[in-house]
PDB file of all heavy atoms in Angstrom:
ATOM      1  N   ARG E 703    -100.319 153.251 -34.169  1.00  0.00           N
ATOM      2  CA  ARG E 703    -101.295 153.788 -35.106  1.00  0.00           C
ATOM      3  C   ARG E 703    -100.870 153.535 -36.564  1.00  0.00           C
ATOM      4  O   ARG E 703    -101.650 152.993 -37.363  1.00  0.00           O
ATOM      5  CB  ARG E 703    -101.542 155.276 -34.866  1.00  0.00           C
ATOM      6  CG  ARG E 703    -102.691 155.892 -35.688  1.00  0.00           C
ATOM      7  CD  ARG E 703    -103.166 157.202 -35.107  1.00  0.00           C
ATOM      8  NE  ARG E 703    -102.246 158.291 -35.377  1.00  0.00           N
ATOM      9  CZ  ARG E 703    -101.505 158.949 -34.480  1.00  0.00           C
ATOM     10  NH1 ARG E 703    -101.530 158.553 -33.278  1.00  0.00           N
ATOM     11  NH2 ARG E 703    -100.764 159.928 -34.856  1.00  0.00           N
ATOM     12  N   VAL E 704     -99.606 153.831 -36.829  1.00  0.00           N
ATOM     13  CA  VAL E 704     -99.174 153.705 -38.235  1.00  0.00           C
ATOM     14  C   VAL E 704     -99.046 152.169 -38.605  1.00  0.00           C
ATOM     15  O   VAL E 704     -99.460 151.756 -39.662  1.00  0.00           O
ATOM     16  CB  VAL E 704     -97.805 154.359 -38.405  1.00  0.00           C
ATOM     17  CG1 VAL E 704     -97.223 154.072 -39.786  1.00  0.00           C
ATOM     18  CG2 VAL E 704     -97.881 155.861 -38.160  1.00  0.00           C
ATOM     19  N   TYR E 705     -98.431 151.391 -37.691  1.00  0.00           N
ATOM     20  CA  TYR E 705     -98.218 149.931 -38.055  1.00  0.00           C
ATOM     21  C   TYR E 705     -99.545 149.186 -38.141  1.00  0.00           C
ATOM     22  O   TYR E 705     -99.703 148.320 -38.979  1.00  0.00           O
ATOM     23  CB  TYR E 705     -97.332 149.380 -36.953  1.00  0.00           C
ATOM     24  CG  TYR E 705     -95.893 149.739 -37.078  1.00  0.00           C
ATOM     25  CD1 TYR E 705     -95.002 149.644 -35.978  1.00  0.00           C
ATOM     26  CD2 TYR E 705     -95.359 150.212 -38.226  1.00  0.00           C
ATOM     27  CE1 TYR E 705     -93.668 149.994 -36.088  1.00  0.00           C
ATOM     28  CE2 TYR E 705     -94.022 150.602 -38.331  1.00  0.00           C
ATOM     29  CZ  TYR E 705     -93.170 150.473 -37.246  1.00  0.00           C
ATOM     30  OH  TYR E 705     -91.917 150.873 -37.365  1.00  0.00           O
ATOM     31  N   SER E 706    -100.535 149.566 -37.335  1.00  0.00           N
ATOM     32  CA  SER E 706    -101.871 148.887 -37.502  1.00  0.00           C
ATOM     33  C   SER E 706    -102.473 149.175 -38.857  1.00  0.00           C
ATOM     34  O   SER E 706    -103.001 148.351 -39.517  1.00  0.00           O
ATOM     35  CB  SER E 706    -102.840 149.402 -36.390  1.00  0.00           C
ATOM     36  OG  SER E 706    -102.347 148.943 -35.132  1.00  0.00           O
ATOM     37  N   GLN E 707    -102.309 150.438 -39.288  1.00  0.00           N
ATOM     38  CA  GLN E 707    -102.911 150.827 -40.571  1.00  0.00           C
ATOM     39  C   GLN E 707    -102.203 150.135 -41.712  1.00  0.00           C
ATOM     40  O   GLN E 707    -102.809 149.694 -42.674  1.00  0.00           O
ATOM     41  CB  GLN E 707    -102.810 152.322 -40.756  1.00  0.00           C
ATOM     42  CG  GLN E 707    -103.724 153.142 -39.794  1.00  0.00           C
ATOM     43  CD  GLN E 707    -105.222 152.903 -40.180  1.00  0.00           C
ATOM     44  OE1 GLN E 707    -105.561 152.466 -41.291  1.00  0.00           O
ATOM     45  NE2 GLN E 707    -106.078 153.083 -39.196  1.00  0.00           N
ATOM     46  N   VAL E 708    -100.881 150.035 -41.674  1.00  0.00           N
ATOM     47  CA  VAL E 708    -100.177 149.484 -42.823  1.00  0.00           C
ATOM     48  C   VAL E 708    -100.450 147.977 -42.915  1.00  0.00           C
ATOM     49  O   VAL E 708    -100.569 147.410 -44.026  1.00  0.00           O
ATOM     50  CB  VAL E 708     -98.646 149.785 -42.754  1.00  0.00           C
ATOM     51  CG1 VAL E 708     -97.878 149.040 -41.706  1.00  0.00           C
ATOM     52  CG2 VAL E 708     -98.035 149.492 -44.176  1.00  0.00           C
ATOM     53  N   VAL E 709    -100.498 147.230 -41.774  1.00  0.00           N
ATOM     54  CA  VAL E 709    -100.751 145.819 -41.851  1.00  0.00           C
ATOM     55  C   VAL E 709    -102.167 145.617 -42.385  1.00  0.00           C
ATOM     56  O   VAL E 709    -102.373 144.761 -43.189  1.00  0.00           O
ATOM     57  CB  VAL E 709    -100.615 145.241 -40.392  1.00  0.00           C
ATOM     58  CG1 VAL E 709    -101.093 143.770 -40.414  1.00  0.00           C
ATOM     59  CG2 VAL E 709     -99.182 145.206 -40.042  1.00  0.00           C
ATOM     60  N   LYS E 710    -103.141 146.390 -41.874  1.00  0.00           N
ATOM     61  CA  LYS E 710    -104.518 146.220 -42.366  1.00  0.00           C
ATOM     62  C   LYS E 710    -104.578 146.600 -43.830  1.00  0.00           C
ATOM     63  O   LYS E 710    -105.283 145.859 -44.636  1.00  0.00           O
ATOM     64  CB  LYS E 710    -105.462 147.121 -41.563  1.00  0.00           C
ATOM     65  CG  LYS E 710    -105.641 146.669 -40.121  1.00  0.00           C
ATOM     66  CD  LYS E 710    -106.458 147.649 -39.294  1.00  0.00           C
ATOM     67  CE  LYS E 710    -107.875 147.755 -39.713  1.00  0.00           C
ATOM     68  NZ  LYS E 710    -108.711 148.541 -38.836  1.00  0.00           N
ATOM     69  N   ARG E 711    -103.958 147.628 -44.259  1.00  0.00           N
ATOM     70  CA  ARG E 711    -104.054 148.080 -45.684  1.00  0.00           C
ATOM     71  C   ARG E 711    -103.413 147.018 -46.609  1.00  0.00           C
ATOM     72  O   ARG E 711    -103.997 146.654 -47.672  1.00  0.00           O
ATOM     73  CB  ARG E 711    -103.309 149.421 -45.879  1.00  0.00           C
ATOM     74  CG  ARG E 711    -103.310 149.886 -47.320  1.00  0.00           C
ATOM     75  CD  ARG E 711    -104.687 150.135 -47.889  1.00  0.00           C
ATOM     76  NE  ARG E 711    -105.355 151.259 -47.179  1.00  0.00           N
ATOM     77  CZ  ARG E 711    -106.605 151.646 -47.344  1.00  0.00           C
ATOM     78  NH1 ARG E 711    -107.362 150.996 -48.220  1.00  0.00           N
ATOM     79  NH2 ARG E 711    -107.169 152.615 -46.655  1.00  0.00           N
ATOM     80  N   THR E 712    -102.268 146.522 -46.198  1.00  0.00           N
ATOM     81  CA  THR E 712    -101.640 145.547 -47.078  1.00  0.00           C
ATOM     82  C   THR E 712    -102.419 144.192 -47.151  1.00  0.00           C
ATOM     83  O   THR E 712    -102.573 143.558 -48.207  1.00  0.00           O
ATOM     84  CB  THR E 712    -100.216 145.214 -46.657  1.00  0.00           C
ATOM     85  OG1 THR E 712    -100.135 144.901 -45.300  1.00  0.00           O
ATOM     86  CG2 THR E 712     -99.302 146.439 -46.927  1.00  0.00           C
ATOM     87  N   LEU E 713    -102.962 143.743 -45.979  1.00  0.00           N
ATOM     88  CA  LEU E 713    -103.784 142.592 -46.015  1.00  0.00           C
ATOM     89  C   LEU E 713    -105.029 142.741 -46.788  1.00  0.00           C
ATOM     90  O   LEU E 713    -105.396 141.822 -47.607  1.00  0.00           O
ATOM     91  CB  LEU E 713    -104.189 142.189 -44.565  1.00  0.00           C
ATOM     92  CG  LEU E 713    -103.200 141.373 -43.728  1.00  0.00           C
ATOM     93  CD1 LEU E 713    -103.754 141.233 -42.294  1.00  0.00           C
ATOM     94  CD2 LEU E 713    -102.971 139.986 -44.353  1.00  0.00           C
ATOM     95  N   ARG E 714    -105.686 143.867 -46.717  1.00  0.00           N
ATOM     96  CA  ARG E 714    -106.875 144.166 -47.491  1.00  0.00           C
ATOM     97  C   ARG E 714    -106.600 144.149 -48.989  1.00  0.00           C
ATOM     98  O   ARG E 714    -107.406 143.773 -49.788  1.00  0.00           O
ATOM     99  CB  ARG E 714    -107.436 145.518 -47.114  1.00  0.00           C
ATOM    100  CG  ARG E 714    -108.854 145.845 -47.584  1.00  0.00           C
ATOM    101  CD  ARG E 714    -109.368 147.137 -47.137  1.00  0.00           C
ATOM    102  NE  ARG E 714    -109.442 147.288 -45.711  1.00  0.00           N
ATOM    103  CZ  ARG E 714    -108.785 148.198 -44.938  1.00  0.00           C
ATOM    104  NH1 ARG E 714    -107.963 149.022 -45.557  1.00  0.00           N
ATOM    105  NH2 ARG E 714    -108.971 148.277 -43.681  1.00  0.00           N
ATOM    106  N   ASN E 715    -105.352 144.507 -49.301  1.00  0.00           N
ATOM    107  CA  ASN E 715    -104.945 144.421 -50.769  1.00  0.00           C
ATOM    108  C   ASN E 715    -104.298 143.100 -51.128  1.00  0.00           C
ATOM    109  O   ASN E 715    -103.763 143.024 -52.254  1.00  0.00           O
ATOM    110  CB  ASN E 715    -103.979 145.618 -51.054  1.00  0.00           C
ATOM    111  CG  ASN E 715    -104.735 146.948 -51.281  1.00  0.00           C
ATOM    112  OD1 ASN E 715    -105.276 147.163 -52.266  1.00  0.00           O
ATOM    113  ND2 ASN E 715    -104.725 147.773 -50.193  1.00  0.00           N
ATOM    114  N   GLY E 716    -104.417 142.146 -50.314  1.00  0.00           N
ATOM    115  CA  GLY E 716    -104.029 140.782 -50.724  1.00  0.00           C
ATOM    116  C   GLY E 716    -102.614 140.395 -50.396  1.00  0.00           C
ATOM    117  O   GLY E 716    -102.157 139.316 -50.834  1.00  0.00           O
ATOM    118  N   THR E 717    -101.875 141.241 -49.594  1.00  0.00           N
ATOM    119  CA  THR E 717    -100.528 140.877 -49.286  1.00  0.00           C
ATOM    120  C   THR E 717    -100.594 139.901 -48.061  1.00  0.00           C
ATOM    121  O   THR E 717    -100.792 140.332 -46.895  1.00  0.00           O
ATOM    122  CB  THR E 717     -99.707 142.083 -48.904  1.00  0.00           C
ATOM    123  OG1 THR E 717     -99.598 142.972 -50.011  1.00  0.00           O
ATOM    124  CG2 THR E 717     -98.250 141.741 -48.455  1.00  0.00           C
ATOM    125  N   THR E 718    -100.347 138.645 -48.318  1.00  0.00           N
ATOM    126  CA  THR E 718    -100.387 137.655 -47.184  1.00  0.00           C
ATOM    127  C   THR E 718     -99.043 137.491 -46.542  1.00  0.00           C
ATOM    128  O   THR E 718     -98.945 137.057 -45.398  1.00  0.00           O
ATOM    129  CB  THR E 718    -100.898 136.324 -47.714  1.00  0.00           C
ATOM    130  OG1 THR E 718    -100.015 135.948 -48.858  1.00  0.00           O
ATOM    131  CG2 THR E 718    -102.346 136.381 -48.172  1.00  0.00           C
ATOM    132  N   THR E 719     -97.912 137.875 -47.275  1.00  0.00           N
ATOM    133  CA  THR E 719     -96.554 137.885 -46.706  1.00  0.00           C
ATOM    134  C   THR E 719     -95.923 139.117 -46.995  1.00  0.00           C
ATOM    135  O   THR E 719     -95.957 139.662 -48.110  1.00  0.00           O
ATOM    136  CB  THR E 719     -95.804 136.704 -47.358  1.00  0.00           C
ATOM    137  OG1 THR E 719     -96.391 135.460 -47.145  1.00  0.00           O
ATOM    138  CG2 THR E 719     -94.303 136.690 -46.804  1.00  0.00           C
ATOM    139  N   ALA E 720     -95.323 139.768 -45.915  1.00  0.00           N
ATOM    140  CA  ALA E 720     -94.679 141.024 -46.095  1.00  0.00           C
ATOM    141  C   ALA E 720     -93.262 141.014 -45.404  1.00  0.00           C
ATOM    142  O   ALA E 720     -93.156 140.447 -44.349  1.00  0.00           O
ATOM    143  CB  ALA E 720     -95.462 142.188 -45.485  1.00  0.00           C
ATOM    144  N   CYS E 721     -92.297 141.619 -46.148  1.00  0.00           N
ATOM    145  CA  CYS E 721     -90.957 141.732 -45.521  1.00  0.00           C
ATOM    146  C   CYS E 721     -90.777 143.148 -45.128  1.00  0.00           C
ATOM    147  O   CYS E 721     -90.545 144.006 -46.061  1.00  0.00           O
ATOM    148  CB  CYS E 721     -89.900 141.217 -46.551  1.00  0.00           C
ATOM    149  SG  CYS E 721     -88.284 141.086 -45.884  1.00  0.00           S
ATOM    150  N   TYR E 722     -90.830 143.451 -43.907  1.00  0.00           N
ATOM    151  CA  TYR E 722     -90.914 144.828 -43.413  1.00  0.00           C
ATOM    152  C   TYR E 722     -89.580 145.381 -42.922  1.00  0.00           C
ATOM    153  O   TYR E 722     -88.893 144.662 -42.166  1.00  0.00           O
ATOM    154  CB  TYR E 722     -91.903 144.970 -42.209  1.00  0.00           C
ATOM    155  CG  TYR E 722     -93.386 144.789 -42.552  1.00  0.00           C
ATOM    156  CD1 TYR E 722     -94.120 143.803 -42.066  1.00  0.00           C
ATOM    157  CD2 TYR E 722     -94.003 145.796 -43.364  1.00  0.00           C
ATOM    158  CE1 TYR E 722     -95.529 143.678 -42.261  1.00  0.00           C
ATOM    159  CE2 TYR E 722     -95.356 145.734 -43.657  1.00  0.00           C
ATOM    160  CZ  TYR E 722     -96.089 144.642 -43.113  1.00  0.00           C
ATOM    161  OH  TYR E 722     -97.432 144.597 -43.338  1.00  0.00           O
ATOM    162  N   PHE E 723     -89.249 146.636 -43.283  1.00  0.00           N
ATOM    163  CA  PHE E 723     -88.323 147.461 -42.547  1.00  0.00           C
ATOM    164  C   PHE E 723     -89.127 148.203 -41.510  1.00  0.00           C
ATOM    165  O   PHE E 723     -90.216 148.782 -41.837  1.00  0.00           O
ATOM    166  CB  PHE E 723     -87.701 148.461 -43.460  1.00  0.00           C
ATOM    167  CG  PHE E 723     -86.422 148.039 -44.180  1.00  0.00           C
ATOM    168  CD1 PHE E 723     -86.445 146.933 -45.071  1.00  0.00           C
ATOM    169  CD2 PHE E 723     -85.289 148.747 -43.936  1.00  0.00           C
ATOM    170  CE1 PHE E 723     -85.306 146.596 -45.690  1.00  0.00           C
ATOM    171  CE2 PHE E 723     -84.076 148.347 -44.575  1.00  0.00           C
ATOM    172  CZ  PHE E 723     -84.072 147.292 -45.501  1.00  0.00           C
ATOM    173  N   ALA E 724     -88.642 148.234 -40.299  1.00  0.00           N
ATOM    174  CA  ALA E 724     -89.235 149.129 -39.290  1.00  0.00           C
ATOM    175  C   ALA E 724     -88.367 150.345 -39.104  1.00  0.00           C
ATOM    176  O   ALA E 724     -88.107 151.023 -40.062  1.00  0.00           O
ATOM    177  CB  ALA E 724     -89.395 148.347 -37.946  1.00  0.00           C
ATOM    178  N   THR E 725     -87.850 150.604 -37.894  1.00  0.00           N
ATOM    179  CA  THR E 725     -86.959 151.746 -37.654  1.00  0.00           C
ATOM    180  C   THR E 725     -85.809 151.194 -36.770  1.00  0.00           C
ATOM    181  O   THR E 725     -85.724 150.037 -36.503  1.00  0.00           O
ATOM    182  CB  THR E 725     -87.663 152.892 -37.000  1.00  0.00           C
ATOM    183  OG1 THR E 725     -88.103 152.451 -35.657  1.00  0.00           O
ATOM    184  CG2 THR E 725     -88.894 153.352 -37.821  1.00  0.00           C
ATOM    185  N   ILE E 726     -85.000 152.161 -36.257  1.00  0.00           N
ATOM    186  CA  ILE E 726     -83.894 151.763 -35.316  1.00  0.00           C
ATOM    187  C   ILE E 726     -84.436 151.459 -33.943  1.00  0.00           C
ATOM    188  O   ILE E 726     -83.643 151.037 -33.131  1.00  0.00           O
ATOM    189  CB  ILE E 726     -82.845 152.886 -35.291  1.00  0.00           C
ATOM    190  CG1 ILE E 726     -83.371 154.150 -34.591  1.00  0.00           C
ATOM    191  CG2 ILE E 726     -82.262 153.205 -36.657  1.00  0.00           C
ATOM    192  CD1 ILE E 726     -82.312 155.183 -34.346  1.00  0.00           C
ATOM    193  N   HIS E 727     -85.654 151.683 -33.657  1.00  0.00           N
ATOM    194  CA  HIS E 727     -86.217 151.561 -32.342  1.00  0.00           C
ATOM    195  C   HIS E 727     -86.701 150.114 -32.048  1.00  0.00           C
ATOM    196  O   HIS E 727     -87.573 149.657 -32.697  1.00  0.00           O
ATOM    197  CB  HIS E 727     -87.395 152.551 -32.172  1.00  0.00           C
ATOM    198  CG  HIS E 727     -87.051 153.927 -32.573  1.00  0.00           C
ATOM    199  ND1 HIS E 727     -87.483 154.457 -33.795  1.00  0.00           N
ATOM    200  CD2 HIS E 727     -86.360 154.864 -31.930  1.00  0.00           C
ATOM    201  CE1 HIS E 727     -87.040 155.690 -33.891  1.00  0.00           C
ATOM    202  NE2 HIS E 727     -86.348 155.954 -32.753  1.00  0.00           N
ATOM    203  N   THR E 728     -86.116 149.512 -31.063  1.00  0.00           N
ATOM    204  CA  THR E 728     -86.351 148.048 -30.791  1.00  0.00           C
ATOM    205  C   THR E 728     -87.824 147.853 -30.422  1.00  0.00           C
ATOM    206  O   THR E 728     -88.511 146.940 -30.905  1.00  0.00           O
ATOM    207  CB  THR E 728     -85.400 147.597 -29.720  1.00  0.00           C
ATOM    208  OG1 THR E 728     -84.069 147.754 -30.131  1.00  0.00           O
ATOM    209  CG2 THR E 728     -85.677 146.072 -29.378  1.00  0.00           C
ATOM    210  N   ASP E 729     -88.334 148.638 -29.492  1.00  0.00           N
ATOM    211  CA  ASP E 729     -89.609 148.291 -28.918  1.00  0.00           C
ATOM    212  C   ASP E 729     -90.749 148.511 -29.912  1.00  0.00           C
ATOM    213  O   ASP E 729     -91.692 147.696 -29.975  1.00  0.00           O
ATOM    214  CB  ASP E 729     -89.879 149.208 -27.627  1.00  0.00           C
ATOM    215  CG  ASP E 729     -89.007 148.767 -26.500  1.00  0.00           C
ATOM    216  OD1 ASP E 729     -88.658 147.592 -26.384  1.00  0.00           O
ATOM    217  OD2 ASP E 729     -88.663 149.688 -25.701  1.00  0.00           O
ATOM    218  N   SER E 730     -90.653 149.584 -30.720  1.00  0.00           N
ATOM    219  CA  SER E 730     -91.711 149.741 -31.757  1.00  0.00           C
ATOM    220  C   SER E 730     -91.576 148.738 -32.903  1.00  0.00           C
ATOM    221  O   SER E 730     -92.545 148.312 -33.456  1.00  0.00           O
ATOM    222  CB  SER E 730     -91.712 151.146 -32.305  1.00  0.00           C
ATOM    223  OG  SER E 730     -90.468 151.444 -32.928  1.00  0.00           O
ATOM    224  N   SER E 731     -90.338 148.216 -33.082  1.00  0.00           N
ATOM    225  CA  SER E 731     -90.139 147.139 -34.076  1.00  0.00           C
ATOM    226  C   SER E 731     -90.797 145.833 -33.558  1.00  0.00           C
ATOM    227  O   SER E 731     -91.445 145.143 -34.352  1.00  0.00           O
ATOM    228  CB  SER E 731     -88.657 146.953 -34.371  1.00  0.00           C
ATOM    229  OG  SER E 731     -88.085 148.133 -34.943  1.00  0.00           O
ATOM    230  N   LEU E 732     -90.619 145.593 -32.280  1.00  0.00           N
ATOM    231  CA  LEU E 732     -91.299 144.425 -31.733  1.00  0.00           C
ATOM    232  C   LEU E 732     -92.791 144.574 -31.823  1.00  0.00           C
ATOM    233  O   LEU E 732     -93.560 143.635 -32.009  1.00  0.00           O
ATOM    234  CB  LEU E 732     -90.925 144.309 -30.208  1.00  0.00           C
ATOM    235  CG  LEU E 732     -89.443 143.783 -30.034  1.00  0.00           C
ATOM    236  CD1 LEU E 732     -89.047 144.007 -28.543  1.00  0.00           C
ATOM    237  CD2 LEU E 732     -89.275 142.361 -30.417  1.00  0.00           C
ATOM    238  N   LEU E 733     -93.310 145.854 -31.627  1.00  0.00           N
ATOM    239  CA  LEU E 733     -94.682 146.137 -31.753  1.00  0.00           C
ATOM    240  C   LEU E 733     -95.227 145.752 -33.141  1.00  0.00           C
ATOM    241  O   LEU E 733     -96.325 145.242 -33.307  1.00  0.00           O
ATOM    242  CB  LEU E 733     -94.986 147.571 -31.400  1.00  0.00           C
ATOM    243  CG  LEU E 733     -96.422 148.038 -31.423  1.00  0.00           C
ATOM    244  CD1 LEU E 733     -97.318 147.253 -30.430  1.00  0.00           C
ATOM    245  CD2 LEU E 733     -96.554 149.568 -31.131  1.00  0.00           C
ATOM    246  N   LEU E 734     -94.521 146.117 -34.192  1.00  0.00           N
ATOM    247  CA  LEU E 734     -94.893 145.756 -35.494  1.00  0.00           C
ATOM    248  C   LEU E 734     -95.050 144.248 -35.634  1.00  0.00           C
ATOM    249  O   LEU E 734     -96.017 143.724 -36.316  1.00  0.00           O
ATOM    250  CB  LEU E 734     -93.828 146.279 -36.521  1.00  0.00           C
ATOM    251  CG  LEU E 734     -94.025 145.921 -38.018  1.00  0.00           C
ATOM    252  CD1 LEU E 734     -95.389 146.285 -38.510  1.00  0.00           C
ATOM    253  CD2 LEU E 734     -92.891 146.445 -38.880  1.00  0.00           C
ATOM    254  N   GLY E 735     -94.112 143.433 -35.094  1.00  0.00           N
ATOM    255  CA  GLY E 735     -94.177 142.030 -35.108  1.00  0.00           C
ATOM    256  C   GLY E 735     -95.510 141.507 -34.385  1.00  0.00           C
ATOM    257  O   GLY E 735     -96.197 140.667 -34.941  1.00  0.00           O
ATOM    258  N   GLN E 736     -95.869 142.150 -33.261  1.00  0.00           N
ATOM    259  CA  GLN E 736     -97.021 141.784 -32.557  1.00  0.00           C
ATOM    260  C   GLN E 736     -98.324 142.144 -33.390  1.00  0.00           C
ATOM    261  O   GLN E 736     -99.231 141.360 -33.437  1.00  0.00           O
ATOM    262  CB  GLN E 736     -97.108 142.544 -31.258  1.00  0.00           C
ATOM    263  CG  GLN E 736     -98.391 142.345 -30.403  1.00  0.00           C
ATOM    264  CD  GLN E 736     -98.533 143.340 -29.324  1.00  0.00           C
ATOM    265  OE1 GLN E 736     -97.595 143.625 -28.620  1.00  0.00           O
ATOM    266  NE2 GLN E 736     -99.735 143.806 -29.122  1.00  0.00           N
ATOM    267  N   ILE E 737     -98.302 143.308 -34.041  1.00  0.00           N
ATOM    268  CA  ILE E 737     -99.525 143.686 -34.783  1.00  0.00           C
ATOM    269  C   ILE E 737     -99.696 142.713 -36.005  1.00  0.00           C
ATOM    270  O   ILE E 737    -100.792 142.315 -36.363  1.00  0.00           O
ATOM    271  CB  ILE E 737     -99.384 145.146 -35.231  1.00  0.00           C
ATOM    272  CG1 ILE E 737     -99.489 146.054 -34.028  1.00  0.00           C
ATOM    273  CG2 ILE E 737    -100.406 145.512 -36.321  1.00  0.00           C
ATOM    274  CD1 ILE E 737     -99.095 147.478 -34.274  1.00  0.00           C
ATOM    275  N   ALA E 738     -98.570 142.432 -36.705  1.00  0.00           N
ATOM    276  CA  ALA E 738     -98.691 141.419 -37.834  1.00  0.00           C
ATOM    277  C   ALA E 738     -99.251 140.127 -37.328  1.00  0.00           C
ATOM    278  O   ALA E 738    -100.097 139.535 -38.007  1.00  0.00           O
ATOM    279  CB  ALA E 738     -97.317 141.264 -38.487  1.00  0.00           C
ATOM    280  N   ASN E 739     -98.759 139.670 -36.228  1.00  0.00           N
ATOM    281  CA  ASN E 739     -99.248 138.422 -35.642  1.00  0.00           C
ATOM    282  C   ASN E 739    -100.738 138.504 -35.265  1.00  0.00           C
ATOM    283  O   ASN E 739    -101.506 137.626 -35.549  1.00  0.00           O
ATOM    284  CB  ASN E 739     -98.428 138.017 -34.412  1.00  0.00           C
ATOM    285  CG  ASN E 739     -98.963 136.797 -33.693  1.00  0.00           C
ATOM    286  OD1 ASN E 739     -98.860 135.680 -34.124  1.00  0.00           O
ATOM    287  ND2 ASN E 739     -99.686 137.034 -32.558  1.00  0.00           N
ATOM    288  N   ASP E 740    -101.109 139.605 -34.672  1.00  0.00           N
ATOM    289  CA  ASP E 740    -102.542 139.791 -34.219  1.00  0.00           C
ATOM    290  C   ASP E 740    -103.470 139.740 -35.419  1.00  0.00           C
ATOM    291  O   ASP E 740    -104.593 139.224 -35.356  1.00  0.00           O
ATOM    292  CB  ASP E 740    -102.727 141.053 -33.469  1.00  0.00           C
ATOM    293  CG  ASP E 740    -102.109 141.042 -32.061  1.00  0.00           C
ATOM    294  OD1 ASP E 740    -101.757 139.897 -31.599  1.00  0.00           O
ATOM    295  OD2 ASP E 740    -101.963 142.097 -31.437  1.00  0.00           O
ATOM    296  N   PHE E 741    -103.153 140.346 -36.543  1.00  0.00           N
ATOM    297  CA  PHE E 741    -103.965 140.416 -37.690  1.00  0.00           C
ATOM    298  C   PHE E 741    -103.774 139.186 -38.608  1.00  0.00           C
ATOM    299  O   PHE E 741    -104.548 138.981 -39.525  1.00  0.00           O
ATOM    300  CB  PHE E 741    -103.748 141.710 -38.495  1.00  0.00           C
ATOM    301  CG  PHE E 741    -104.336 142.912 -37.961  1.00  0.00           C
ATOM    302  CD1 PHE E 741    -103.660 143.858 -37.256  1.00  0.00           C
ATOM    303  CD2 PHE E 741    -105.789 143.076 -38.031  1.00  0.00           C
ATOM    304  CE1 PHE E 741    -104.265 144.971 -36.712  1.00  0.00           C
ATOM    305  CE2 PHE E 741    -106.368 144.220 -37.489  1.00  0.00           C
ATOM    306  CZ  PHE E 741    -105.610 145.171 -36.895  1.00  0.00           C
ATOM    307  N   GLY E 742    -102.790 138.348 -38.312  1.00  0.00           N
ATOM    308  CA  GLY E 742    -102.658 137.090 -39.011  1.00  0.00           C
ATOM    309  C   GLY E 742    -101.781 137.094 -40.237  1.00  0.00           C
ATOM    310  O   GLY E 742    -101.892 136.285 -41.114  1.00  0.00           O
TER     311      GLY E 742
END
């Protein structure tokens, strides 16, 4: 829920490239990568 919102919000504001910190959790960090890829 959070990662989908931040990727959409930054893209909508013109951020085509983002350097993201996630958290210590491997699986949710991988999820952030998937979401960024899905939204382009």
Side-chain angles (χ1 to χ4, degrees):
R703 188 162 76 248
V704 176
Y705 286 157
S706 295
Q707 290 293 337
V708 71
V709 171
K710 290 173 69 174
R711 177 64 64 186
T712 53
L713 276 174
R714 193 181 296 123
N715 280 282
T717 299
T718 54
T719 300
C721 190
Y722 287 119
F723 269 64
T725 64
I726 67 172
H727 309 101
T728 302
D729 291 329
S730 61
S731 299
L732 289 167
L733 180 61
L734 174 57
Q736 176 193 318
I737 291 168
N739 175 73
D740 288 347
F741 281 104

